[in-house]
């Protein structure tokens, strides 16, 4: 049957939230001392520790966003940051070299601006280009039940806690039905010392947790018709999954008898 799990690769993204991220025009960005939009790039001349920003980018608090941009250094030592900015500032990451950057970051309440800032020790003349911000899993396909699930660049990450477990939880409440048989397929991308369990509607069952592609077949029991995977280990353990599929097995042959047919 069709895959009942939506966004099983954890790669669904929302629409572009940055305006003029290619800096085709000198607009939409508030620029501090030493910053300019020149030749299709956002440039810093290395003077002062000011910044450049665009407000209203992070439209939903507590959601994960994929942030990408390119950095080129003309001269000097680069010491910069990309941040959430608004009521206070929260650093997403430091920027210390040229290259293409990708970050997955959870937005902070009252901090809706995307901000690039040079630090006091920065002496670099550098430029930023191709800025993009998109919300990850915009249709809320997955629920974070225990507060320890996160989106990462290569899948969905389940991190254990001392008092509970992180669980992947399919949003669709009618994703399975009692008495029906399903095939589950998934890929373990990383495993930092944990096991993995699947909920069959009645209880949690251990499934393969080694790095690689895996699948199993089960019959849904009990009254819970949600699809759940969990990491039952302690705080330091995590597992990253992708390629998750759930397919109903509509035709199952039982008591199959094969008769020989004479060849002539």
């Amino acid at each position: 049957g069709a895959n009942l799990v939506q966004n099983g690769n954890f790669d669904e993204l929302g629409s572009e939230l940055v305006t003029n991220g290619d800096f085709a025009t000198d607009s939409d960005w508030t620029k501090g001392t030493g910053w300019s939009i020149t030749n299709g790039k956002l440039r810093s001349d290395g003077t002062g520790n000011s910044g450049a920003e665009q407000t209203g980018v992070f439209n939903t608090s507590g959601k994960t966003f994929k942030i990408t941009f390119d950095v080129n250094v003309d001269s000097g030592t680069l010491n910069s940051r990309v941040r959430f900015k608004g009521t206070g500032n929260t650093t997403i990451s430091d920027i210390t070299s040229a290259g293409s950057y990708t970050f997955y970051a959870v937005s902070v309440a009252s901090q809706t601006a995307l901000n690039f800032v040079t630090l006091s020790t920065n002496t670099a003349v550098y430029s930023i280009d191709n800025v993009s911000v998109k919300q990850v899993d915009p249709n809320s396909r997955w629920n974070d039940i225990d507060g320890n699930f996160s989106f990462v660049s290569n899948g969905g990450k389940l991190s254990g806690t001392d008092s509970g477990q992180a669980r992947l939880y399919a949003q669709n409440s009618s994703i399975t039905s009692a008495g029906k048989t399903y095939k589950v397929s998934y890929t373990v991308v990383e495993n930092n010392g944990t096991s993995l369990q699947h909920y069959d509607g009645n209880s949690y069952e251990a499934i393969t947790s080694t790095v690689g592609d895996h699948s199993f077949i089960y019959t849904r029991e009990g009254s819970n018709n949600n699809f759940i995977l969990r990491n039952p280990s302690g705080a330091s353990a995590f597992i990253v999954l992708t390629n998750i599929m759930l397919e109903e097995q509509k035709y199952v042959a039982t008591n199959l008898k094969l008769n020989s047919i004479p060849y002539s």
Side-chain angles (χ1 to χ4, degrees), residues 30-42:
T30 301
K31 304 179 293 293
T33 301
W35 287 83
S36 64
I37 294 178
T38 309
N39 297 327
K41 297 181 186 298
L42 177 65

Side-chain angles (χ1 to χ4, degrees), residues 7 28 55 75 128 133 158 180 183 197 206 232 243 248 251:
N7 194 20
D28 304 296
T55 60
S75 63
I128 296 170
V133 174
L158 295 167
K180 291 187 176 181
K183 178 180 179 180
Q197 293 179 338
N243 298 329
E248 182 183 345
Y251 306 103

Side-chain angles (χ1 to χ4, degrees), residues 3 5-12 142 241-245:
N3 185 16
V5 170
Q6 300 182 75
N7 194 20
N9 290 323
F10 307 98
D11 57 359
E12 281 189 7
W142 297 98
L241 307 174
T242 192
N243 298 329
I244 297 177
M245 297 184 67

